[in-house]
Amino acid sequence: QFQRLSNFYFLIISILQFTSLSSVQPTSWIPLLFVLIVNMVKELIEDAKRKKQDREINNQEVFAIDPSTKDMKKLKWKDIKVGSVLVLMEDDQVPADVIVVATADKISGLVDIDTVQLDGETNLKSKESVEFTHRAITKDVPDGAQRAITSVPKQHVDMMEPLHVECEQPNPELSSFTGKLLSANTTESLTNKQIIYRGCTVRNTKWLYALVTFTGEETKLRKNAVQKKLKRTTLDRTTNHYIVGLFGFLAGLCVLAAGCSAIWITNHCYPWSWYIPDMYSWGEALGLNIFTFLILMSALIPISLTVTMEVVKVVHAKLIDWDSDLCYEDPISGQSMPARARTSNLGEDLGRIEYIFSDKTGTLTQNVMEFMKCSIGGVSYGTGTTEIGRAAAMREGRVIEEVERPPNLKLERGDNFYDPRIQHGQWKQLPNRDAIEKFYTVLAVCHTVRSKPKGGEGEGDDDQLWTPENVVYQASSPDEEALVIGAKGQGFWFQRRSYRDCYVVVDGEEKCFVLQSVNEFNSTRKRMSCVVQTPEGKLMLFVKGADNVMFERMAPGTGPLGGVTKVHLRDFANEGLRTLVIAEKELTPQYYEEWNQRYNEAFQSTVDRDAKLDAVAEEIEKDLQLVGATAIEDKLQDGVPHAIKKLRDAGIQVWILTGDKVETAINIAMACNLIHPEMHLEKVELPDVAIDPSDTANREASLKKINDENRNNVESQLNEACSYEPTKDMERALIIDGQSLKHALALEESVGEDDGPMLRFTNTCVAVVCSRVSPKQKADVVHLVKTKHGRITLAIGDGANDVSMILKAHIGVGISGREGAQAAMSSDYSIAQFRYLTNLVLIHGRWSYQRLSLLICYSFYKNISFSTAVFWFGLNTGYSGILWWEDLYQTVWNVFFTGVPIFFVASFNKDVHYKATLLEFPEMYKDVQYGQPFSKRVFAFWVVDALIVSILVYFIPTYGVEALNPTSSRSDGLDSGLWLCSFTSMAAIHTLINLRLWMETRTWNWVVLLVQFLSLTFFWMWAGLFQLYTPGKFLGFVSILGTYYMMLNNFAVNGICIACFVFTTVLCLIIPWLYYVYMNWPSNKNKSLQVQMFEAQKLEEQIRMDRVPTEEAWAQMLPLLRKGEEAPEQKTDDYPKFNASEDALGVTPSNTPKQRSMSFHTRSGSEAEEYLGYAFSGQRGEDPRLLSDTTSHVRSGTGRTHGSSPNTARSQRSDGPGAALNDAAVLNGVTTPSAPNGASTNLLDASSDYREVRASELLNGNAH
């Protein structure tokens, strides 16, 4: 607890108060103890929960084989040891890292596991048992039988006893495992396929035998349980800097006061002041009095600030959790997916975001894959197009011919392919039917998908269970599942698989493909392959992978076919489809035997097995024969374009980091409104350079030469882009692929802290799209912007490949999507849809930063004004250290007098009452983005205001009572003196501090009103308590109750004291009021959008209706509303539905029903007030098409009214309210023919005597 600077500070103060240096009662330990107890109780509760969870987990039971009895018995998790053999049942949670020895599924030896607690992935994964042990144990089990077991046969125990394991050391790597399982005569290599990690759950098998390899802290789960690095917000760091600065200010005051005290003592010591002992030298008096005044003014640093901030942050986090607008109802499962704030420490940084780095698949898209198109033998198949394809065609002026699909066409979920040329077996009539058969055969065989009958308990041979309608697929990747379903839709039905056999049904005929070897997919290889023996006895290599790694491995002579396929791939990418290239290769038995020997050697290696397997796979995956390509659709999520538009309007740069092709990334960015056709796109790409595979001697030299050339190429492209100065209205975007990004990042690293060419160029860009990037490159890009620019970054993703990026950013947001929960588990905040990011950032982030800024400023304000009054009191006491405030009052100042109201205001205050306002006017986010609520100017104003308050609350009551009431103020003739002036001052500062918070409060409800009222009256109730007891009769605190005893009574009967109290309070509140009037004055250039929106809201509250009037109704209502008169009632038909309820004062539609224009009206007086125009359209909550995102500049002070322009191109409609702006009119600007001298003034032109007013979004329909 004392690692916190504030707690340590008040510990020192509390100790000093018990010494003779203190002139006050030792009361600081009371609030310090309260703070410590609150934190201790909080941590005690958390520790107790952790201990309870540990006890529950350690005492869970699982069946294990007892070596002594050789039968099953229950064993607690904490008693499991390495070498134990567990008997796991269906739905059991795995208590340790175990090797699958045998399963109840005799045919395949597979078991499904749920890894959601381990890596967050929701898809079931298949693990396979060790082949020789599984066959030996299950040889007597009938085929297809899966029965629960109650005892272990003796022969099973005898078979497992001699097993011995050699494996790697414990490590956190979840994707690999290296080891060997040895018995008397057999050795089999172990991979990640045969091991189940702790935290997984067994599914779809009745039992399995598992050999324990790692337990406790050596398991993968515990190795990955690394505590996340604590993230601190900019507000916390700035607050610490201010605290250090204020402590320096406090130290300066203490030194000054101690110096004045030492001088006074030196000049007034004995014999002139005989009651002052001459016991200290000047230096000693200075040193000791420093500590005296440090104690007196210790409250200048608010002790309750840290605790209050933590609790308020927890409230802000709960408000995110409870926000129904952030809750998503899955239309498929019906499951509710609310937002989750996994940390309460970063809410205010959500209000300072300047860069958002987003993944594409599953983040911007739905991650619901559908097989849609393909290219086979140079022919493109598949009809229809995507939303992205339609948008691209509109931009290019192309017409898409849609093929009507039969109304009775039924497609399985995951299959959206239709082409009458090959549908329903018509492919057999085509000339290239052999190529089509090869293509779909590869799709049905080359994968890791697992099938399972819906109604069966296992994977037996019951033909009634294994029907196309009854089989469901389980895949680790939705892409693979879509490809298998696409093949099934054309009659190539993958039925099931066992250890080596893959059964595919074609036209009712079951074909068995024997899997010989599998080279698995990884992010480095970007492909997978398998060697199979076909039913005809051929050895075939089937390969599928990304086009950039597949074409370089094609056999010579693929040129013509490859060229056509590349064209098809580019067309697919332009539609936003995900593509893969399919290839095959026939192997000779002799070549395969030689290769398989090297493969087995690499497979059995326990050192660098993965690297050796990749090298062996590289040998066989060359000289491939191109078969075709696939195209899978992944649709955009709802509301993504609108969300990105809002984020960009808020001043946030959005970067897309994706592993897709450049063309796909560009089209997705255009579909998302991130880039548009008029934008200048700067592409940084590297040409494909082929290396002669036969020239092994010069391979390294050639690679180095190519690498240097590529680096120079990237540098020259970026430098050339930087040298071109964009025009004022030009928007630029950077498109860069992963290979070029690697060199660009290297260039940034080589220049140290300076900006390299990439960052210099991105500073002039409004969007950046990085394609073909790896997970590490995503994290590197985030780290680059975070460290070099020092900007607040947010990374959002949904998959395990996004975790490094999420952890690297200031704030990580995970999408609870179909790729699992690993990204969400590693994030700071989790949401279900990308569009919710606008609410999270623009609303919750903005409010959180504003509320905490107010909390910090107000806390320092009330404590500085309260503490520095003691310093001014020293002017009358020779800085002797006499107390100005009563001890107990000073002790409860922070907690009871002023602490509670600011907590509620900081938790629930809203400067704008309606969320729709913030979403419709995202420019309001820029105020907090630039740190305006907690800027140096704002903080300095609060500090200066506090110092002025301290001066007024001391001098006015002290000298006012003395000057206006020099005689006795008490009925008994005695002079109340010091404590009556102090009580008057205390009453004034308490009242004005609470009223000052009223001025800052924007959200009034009964809770806030009650708390603030109770806080305001609590002081008088506290003072009344002192009326009930005489000195020395209340708990022994003689000196404490003896100071303000009967002061309330003396204050109440003294008109001078009351007058000083009222005058001081009013005068102190006038200063901030004048400041706000100045800041919000119409002619002030600093007038913010928030003030304009507040005025718009006042109009909204006056209307108090859910729908907006028509033009005629507005023309009647607005003048009355400005005069404060009641508006006439309107018929329901006069109110068309609208998108948002905020309209702006002073902006009315034209009276011409057929001609729409923007009319700016002025009020009386010499100044013209401009207000924000807003266009009403569509249904509430819709996402209307945006026509313009411009900024209009209106000349202020002219007093003229802009009329409609006959020259402006607009769509002429007879229905008035339905008239809409034409795109060309919006892009060309709104002209005003009524300008002086008949000139047509373009509102988009900017000059020095123009002030900028943000124009509202001009929406399609009912545009004013």
Side-chain angles (χ1 to χ4, degrees), residues 746-766:
L747 290 171
E748 294 292 338
E749 186 178 354
S750 64
V751 296
E753 297 181 357
D754 298 330
D755 285 354
M758 177 179 167
L759 281 186
R760 289 202 310 270
F761 181 68
T762 56
N763 288 336
T764 66
C765 294
V766 297

Side-chain angles (χ1 to χ4, degrees), residues 101 327 671 821 990 1175 1183:
V101 177
C327 184
H990 174 268
D1183 184 11

Side-chain angles (χ1 to χ4, degrees), residues 685-704:
E685 296 179 283
L686 291 174
D688 295 331
V689 179
I691 301 177
D692 186 2
S694 61
D695 189 9
T696 57
N698 300 321
R699 182 178 178 84
E700 292 186 5
S702 300
L703 288 174
K704 186 178 185 305

Side-chain angles (χ1 to χ4, degrees), residues 36 228 262 276 437 496 605-606 620 665 782 1247:
L36 295 178
K228 289 198 301 185
I276 300 177
E437 184 176 5
R496 68 185 188 277
S605 174
T606 57
I620 199 172
V782 175
S1247 61

